[in-house]
Amino acid sequence: MKVLKFGGTSVGSVESIKNVKKIVEACDEPVIVVVSALGGITDKLIETARLAGTGNSEYLTHFKEIIHRHHNVIDGIVPEKRKQEVLQIVNELLDELGNIFRGVSLIKDLSAKTQNTIVSYGERISSVIVSRVINDAVHYDSREFIKTEVQFNKNIVDFDLTNELVRKTFKELPKVSLVPGFISSDKKNNDVTNLGRGGSDYTAAILAAALGASRLEIWTDVDGFMTADPRVISNTYVIEHLSFIEAMELCNFGAKVIYPPTIYPVYHKNIPIVIKNTFNPEAQGTLITQDSASGEGKAIKGISSINDTCLITVTGLGMVGVIGINYRIFKALAKSGVSVFLVSQASSENNTSFAVKNADADLAVKVLTEEFAQEIEMGEISEISAEKDLATVAIVGENMKHTPGIAGKLFNTLGRNGINVIACAQGASETNISFVIELNSLRKALNVIHDSFFLSNVQVLNLFITGIGLVGKDLLEQIRKQQPNLLKDKSLRLNIVGLANSKKCLFRREGISLDHYEEELKASPLSASPAAIRDGIIQMNIFNSVFVDCTASNEIAGIYKDLLNHNVSVVAANKIAASSAYDNYAELKRIARKRDVKFLFETNVGAGLPIINTINNLINSGDKILKIEAVVSGTLNFIFNVLSEDIPLSKAIRLAQESGYSEPDPRLDLNGQDVVRKLVILAREAGYRVEQSDVVKKLFIPEEYFQGSLDDFWKQIPKLDEEFEERRKKLVSENKRYRFVATLDGGKVEVGLQEVDSKHPFYQLEGSNNVILITTDRYKEYPMVIKGYGAGAMVTAAGVFADIISIANIR
């Protein structure tokens, strides 16, 4: 028995279904056929559901297209004797679907549960159609035996229950079993669920593993795994044989032939996978088994190291041009039985360094001091020095002689990661480059060389992300979606090697899958603390490391210095470090420059708006910032935008809290502290030495309202409503509005409520948007204006993502 899976394009048209029929009926053993929805229907279902959820009647047009598409396929492929049966079943399903869409449109609410149900109709209908086309096919409902459970808001397969139900369902196999892919059901309440992206592949793999299939065939629209993306490289060819591990790596790096989780179930049962083309079934395809497959040769074949190294140096101007100095050095050492395994000499001949074992160091110094006693006494040669506790690393490979730039790549990689090369040697044969480093850098050096030369030819950024709240989750999702494009278009791979929340941390050198990271993080045995996070990152010793702080933690901000000192770049959504004591801020910036790493915090002000980067570009190009005026509190802007005759100040504050624009305790926004921090950051980036204590605060709520409990605040705040209503009416009569403005003017910093008229750029600021006016020597008469979304998890995450990408320096 074998399992065949046909993707959406394989059942997307009458001609493609004819191919499926031919392929299946040619099998001479029982088969289980897994089919996806008609090609493109799933996206159409999702879009229709979205329109219905917003009450947009356009959903009806989309739904009619869905009906028409299915009816066309039925008319074109289903035999006449079965057409009425198929139409009855399909029309009943489409009626159900239409009722769901109407319900969603009426209540204007599309829950995840409802969307799962809607999307399931694609596979349910396509499987009915195909099952009536293939002779002797028996239709099954995968919701009855693929069971899931919710873990961290995701539907995860319960394999124990699923395997039991699969074996029971298929105890006696018909010639052809037809199963819809992708869909499943919750094991507790039988609600419709799904297996996510690539779920039909996953369905097929689950069935194959549970039933011990002879092989799993994935029928798609390409001939197999290619050596490279044929859309980019014209002379690619099909890889005939891959190991499971190689196939997994290709999938994870962007090859979309099959979905990575598909491999897991069959890998453990050693069931071969064959990738075939539905539209070119004669092509050999790609076979995937446990056998290893040879890959393309690398320039470097191996790395070796000696952690027992002492570097001895003989130096002096009396050595220059003197014949026989090196003869005397190595003759004396040889007579004393001291073995030398690396030699490095300056071209000026004024020094020779060589490496010996630490145990031989004292003897080597003794015999050389005796050999050159006269020269030392005359000052022609300095005292012989020995530097112990070093390590020697050698990269070896004959292909290096055919690959230009190996040495450059090697030393660039080491330098960017803070590893100092003390001495180096390379033979003319170019098969070995050896170098000496500090012993405590050995592990890191081995890691960075291995990662740089063996893992991939693309640029890699290794990310440690702390804080998996709203911003952190959005960031991880954006990275997950964009990874294939960055790899394909920019040759950049973002490798998530560390994750941490307030409770747990997780480190994995080879990368953490973003499909199941929440479950993995929860299951991690490592407790999270700033020290644990810092030490885990430093001990991992990965090159091109970037620490991403999506918290608001003072303690997490406190580890930046140690990380920067270990050549780890820092990207911070956290405002604390950049707004802390000026000396600390300046020290972090200095370390970053010295270590040639980045300390970036664009999202500290204006979320994803390019404010700090713009200021830096202005200054670096010779401009001078004269004045900054900014509305950078989405909370306060929201409050003053909703103030009206019907919404007094107290209600506006309550609305901001209920809408999620303010902190749970809105006093944290109303006291202006967040705006003060942002202004301090802007001022510093503009070139001014400013502390938070320098900022003059002109608050619109008296200080006593910030005393006591939150309940006390809510009881007291209505007392200000009448006064604010009078002020609001006066503003309206004058065609003005309130804005809480942060101002830098000639080094003076102030935050407070200002009245702006209709001609002011701040007047039309809507919702929780931010706006910044920058006056410079160049932009004096007409200040530069930066305006847009200044709050929200999605745009903040996008700003953090942009900072990460800037570290890669891609275009």
Side-chain angles (χ1 to χ4, degrees):
M1 184 274 293
K2 60 183 178 181
V3 178
L4 283 63
K5 179 264 176 179
F6 292 92
T9 55
S10 301
V11 292
S13 67
V14 171
E15 289 305 313
S16 62
I17 296 176
K18 287 181 180 178
N19 288 342
V20 171
K21 174 180 171 66
K22 183 177 179 181
I23 292 165
V24 173
E25 292 179 354
C27 294
D28 55 4
E29 59 181 310
V31 293
I32 297 178
V33 178
V34 178
V35 296
S36 299
L38 302 186
I41 283 294
T42 298
D43 290 337
K44 179 68 73 174
L45 287 168
I46 293 172
E47 176 62 15
T48 307
R50 186 191 66 79
L51 291 170
T54 60
N56 189 333
S57 62
E58 185 66 20
Y59 87 88
L60 289 169
T61 302
H62 286 253
F63 183 46
K64 288 177 182 177
E65 292 175 10
I66 292 170
I67 296 172
H68 184 68
R69 175 84 181 280
H70 285 104
H71 282 173
N72 276 350
V73 172
I74 293 170
D75 289 341
I77 193 67
V78 177
E80 283 297 329
K81 63 182 179 179
R82 309 201 71 177
K83 189 169 293 184
Q84 195 59 40
E85 172 199 0
V86 173
L87 281 171
Q88 182 177 345
I89 297 172
V90 170
N91 285 337
E92 286 177 0
L93 290 172
L94 289 171
D95 285 343
E96 290 176 13
L97 180 59
N99 289 332
I100 295 172
F101 281 138
R102 281 188 286 275
V104 169
S105 178
L106 286 172
I107 64 175
K108 297 180 182 178
D109 179 60
L110 179 64
S111 67
K113 177 179 175 181
T114 303
Q115 179 159 309
N116 283 340
T117 301
I118 290 171
V119 173
S120 73
Y121 280 87
E123 274 73 17
R124 291 167 65 186
I125 296 173
S126 70
S127 62
V128 168
I129 297 171
V130 178
S131 70
R132 269 61 174 186
V133 172
I134 298 173
N135 292 328
D136 301 320
V138 179
H139 182 258
Y140 292 84
D141 188 343
S142 53
R143 294 174 298 173
E144 295 179 359
F145 46 81
I146 306 290
K147 296 295 181 178
T148 63
E149 57 185 342
V150 176
Q151 294 181 12
F152 305 102
N153 297 319
K154 290 187 176 182
N155 298 308
I156 306 301
V157 175
D158 183 332
F159 277 99
D160 290 338
L161 178 57
T162 295
N163 289 340
E164 178 186 343
L165 292 173
V166 168
R167 294 185 188 112
K168 182 179 178 181
T169 302
F170 298 97
K171 187 174 182 180
E172 294 185 5
L173 281 171
K175 182 179 179 182
V176 179
S177 305
L178 203 297
V179 177
F182 178 69
I183 61 175
S184 51
S185 64
D186 186 88
K187 71 175 186 179
K188 292 182 178 178
N189 52 33
N190 285 325
D191 285 343
V192 177
T193 59
N194 63 66
L195 302 181
R197 184 170 57 90
S200 293
D201 287 355
Y202 200 20
T203 301
I206 291 168
L207 293 173
L211 298 172
S214 60
R215 70 177 182 175
L216 167 62
E217 295 182 3
I218 304 293
W219 290 82
T220 180
D221 57 357
V222 295
D223 286 345
F225 271 97
M226 310 295 287
T227 56
D229 189 335
R231 294 171 297 180
V232 179
I233 301 174
S234 60
N235 59 346
T236 58
Y237 55 89
V238 174
I239 304 172
E240 294 183 357
H241 189 191
L242 287 170
S243 70
F244 283 120
I245 300 301
E246 288 168 330
M248 181 64 71
E249 291 299 322
L250 286 170
C251 290
N252 286 334
F253 286 116
K256 299 178 181 179
V257 180
I258 57 175
Y259 183 51
T262 301
I263 297 174
Y264 300 143
V266 293
Y267 165 74
H268 293 295
K269 293 295 185 69
N270 194 20
I271 297 171
I273 302 175
V274 180
I275 310 299
K276 298 278 283 182
N277 190 342
T278 310
F279 306 95
N280 184 22
E282 292 76 21
Q284 182 174 341
T286 299
L287 173 66
I288 304 170
T289 67
Q290 282 193 345
D291 299 332
S292 62
S294 60
E296 184 181 348
K298 298 288 185 180
I300 295 175
K301 296 294 180 65
I303 306 170
S304 62
S305 66
I306 302 171
N307 59 9
D308 179 14
T309 298
C310 174
L311 193 66
I312 295 176
T313 301
V314 179
T315 183
L317 293 178
M319 297 172 59
V320 178
V322 177
I323 297 174
I325 291 290
N326 284 339
Y327 168 76
R328 292 171 61 188
I329 291 173
F330 297 114
K331 179 182 177 181
L333 293 172
K335 287 175 62 176
S336 301
V338 176
S339 176
V340 174
F341 52 82
L342 177 144
V343 178
S344 177
Q345 183 178 27
S347 59
S348 64
E349 302 181 357
N350 72 338
N351 73 73
T352 298
S353 296
F354 54 90
V356 300
K357 293 183 177 180
N358 284 301
D360 293 333
D362 292 340
L363 176 59
V365 170
K366 179 176 180 294
V367 299
L368 290 177
T369 299
E370 293 172 354
E371 174 68 28
F372 294 101
Q374 183 176 351
E375 287 86 352
I376 293 172
E377 183 178 354
M378 296 174 61
E380 294 178 352
I381 292 180
S382 302
E383 289 190 11
I384 311 298
S385 63
E387 188 175 357
K388 297 182 179 179
D389 297 323
L390 302 174
T392 303
V393 179
I395 60 172
V396 179
E398 287 191 346
N399 284 341
M400 287 196 295
K401 68 177 67 177
H402 305 299
T403 309
I406 291 294
K409 182 178 180 181
L410 169 66
F411 295 121
N412 181 54
T413 298
L414 294 171
R416 282 188 288 109
N417 290 276
I419 300 170
N420 183 42
V421 175
I422 301 170
C424 66
Q426 179 178 11
S429 65
E430 300 183 52
T431 59
N432 184 309
I433 302 175
S434 302
F435 56 94
V436 178
I437 58 175
E438 294 180 353
L439 181 60
N440 59 13
S441 295
L442 176 60
R443 180 182 176 186
K444 186 173 186 180
L446 294 175
N447 286 331
V448 301
I449 297 168
H450 183 269
D451 287 348
S452 179
F453 285 92
F454 283 90
L455 290 185
S456 176
N457 290 324
V458 303
Q459 183 181 4
V460 178
L461 286 185
N462 292 299
L463 307 182
F464 301 86
I465 299 177
T466 298
I468 317 296
L470 293 177
V471 173
K473 285 183 178 179
D474 267 350
L475 173 63
L476 288 168
E477 179 62 12
Q478 290 177 23
I479 291 173
R480 185 188 69 79
K481 289 181 177 179
Q482 189 63 7
Q483 274 178 327
N485 294 330
L486 289 173
L487 185 65
K488 178 172 71 72
D489 299 332
K490 303 295 184 180
S491 296
L492 173 67
R493 182 162 69 93
L494 300 181
N495 193 30
I496 313 297
V497 294
L499 290 172
N501 58 22
S502 59
K503 296 179 180 179
K504 295 291 186 72
C505 51
L506 174 66
F507 301 100
R508 183 177 300 149
R509 172 175 296 278
E510 63 272 20
I512 300 168
S513 169
L514 294 184
D515 292 323
H516 308 292
Y517 71 89
E518 291 179 290
E519 295 93 326
E520 292 193 60
L521 183 58
K522 184 177 181 181
S524 173
L526 301 176
S527 297
S529 69
I533 294 169
R534 176 199 63 204
D535 295 345
I537 294 171
I538 293 172
Q539 290 169 11
M540 192 174 282
N541 291 319
I542 287 190
F543 82 120
N544 284 357
S545 294
V546 183
F547 176 67
V548 183
D549 181 6
C550 294
T551 75
S553 167
N554 186 64
E555 291 76 17
I556 293 295
I559 69 175
Y560 293 178
K561 183 176 180 179
D562 286 338
L563 295 176
L564 291 169
N565 271 320
H566 283 84
N567 285 74
V568 177
S569 292
V570 173
V571 173
N574 187 345
K575 304 179 188 70
I576 290 175
S579 63
S580 63
Y582 182 87
D583 287 343
N584 181 63
Y585 156 85
E587 176 72 358
L588 294 175
K589 301 271 281 190
R590 184 193 66 79
I591 294 171
R593 287 192 298 271
K594 177 182 177 182
R595 292 287 182 174
D596 194 23
V597 292
K598 300 292 181 67
F599 173 39
L600 304 176
F601 41 89
E602 180 65 75
T603 57
N604 281 191
V605 184
L609 295 177
I611 301 169
I612 292 174
N613 190 49
T614 300
I615 290 173
N616 288 332
N617 287 341
L618 290 170
I619 293 174
N620 292 337
S621 65
D623 206 350
K624 181 178 181 180
I625 308 297
L626 303 176
K627 186 177 183 180
I628 294 177
E629 300 166 272
V631 176
V632 287
S633 171
T635 303
L636 298 180
N637 198 49
F638 175 85
I639 289 171
F640 290 118
N641 274 331
V642 300
L643 274 179
S644 67
E645 185 176 353
D646 298 323
I647 303 177
L649 177 66
S650 60
K651 186 175 181 180
I653 296 171
R654 179 74 74 175
L655 285 174
Q657 182 202 45
E658 293 173 349
S659 302
Y661 288 113
S662 80
E663 297 289 340
D665 184 347
R667 294 176 297 177
L668 298 175
D669 297 291
L670 297 170
N671 68 6
Q673 188 59 38
D674 182 59
V675 179
V676 168
R677 285 178 174 170
K678 293 175 179 177
L679 177 57
V680 166
I681 294 169
L682 290 176
R684 289 173 175 177
E685 291 298 291
Y688 297 91
R689 183 184 180 105
V690 171
E691 302 285 2
Q692 290 190 39
S693 57
D694 297 330
V695 180
V696 177
K697 294 198 292 185
K698 296 180 179 179
L699 303 181
F700 58 93
I701 293 179
E703 182 64 32
E704 58 266 22
Y705 283 75
F706 298 104
Q707 309 302 320
S709 67
L710 180 58
D711 287 339
D712 293 333
F713 171 79
W714 287 121
K715 291 176 183 177
Q716 296 294 322
I717 196 64
K719 295 179 181 179
L720 298 179
D721 287 349
E722 184 176 350
E723 174 192 345
F724 261 85
E725 176 58 15
E726 291 300 318
R727 293 164 66 178
R728 186 196 67 79
K729 288 180 179 178
K730 182 174 183 296
L731 284 176
V732 171
S733 68
E734 297 173 352
N735 199 22
K736 293 180 179 180
R737 290 177 178 173
Y738 273 136
R739 295 289 180 250
F740 195 82
V741 182
T743 305
L744 164 71
D745 191 354
K748 295 180 180 180
V749 281
E750 177 180 303
V751 299
L753 207 57
Q754 292 185 16
E755 299 176 3
V756 297
D757 60 30
S758 59
K759 296 181 181 180
H760 197 284
F762 293 172
Y763 184 84
Q764 295 293 346
L765 195 61
E766 298 177 354
S768 60
N769 287 359
N770 284 188
V771 62
I772 294 87
L773 270 63
I774 304 174
T775 304
T776 73
D777 280 341
R778 295 175 188 157
Y779 295 86
K780 188 176 292 184
E781 185 176 355
Y782 299 102
M784 182 182 292
V785 180
I786 303 173
K787 181 180 179 181
Y789 289 121
M794 184 179 295
V795 292
T796 302
V800 173
F801 200 172
D803 273 351
I804 293 170
I805 296 300
S806 72
I807 292 174
N809 196 30
I810 61 175
R811 299 292 182 185

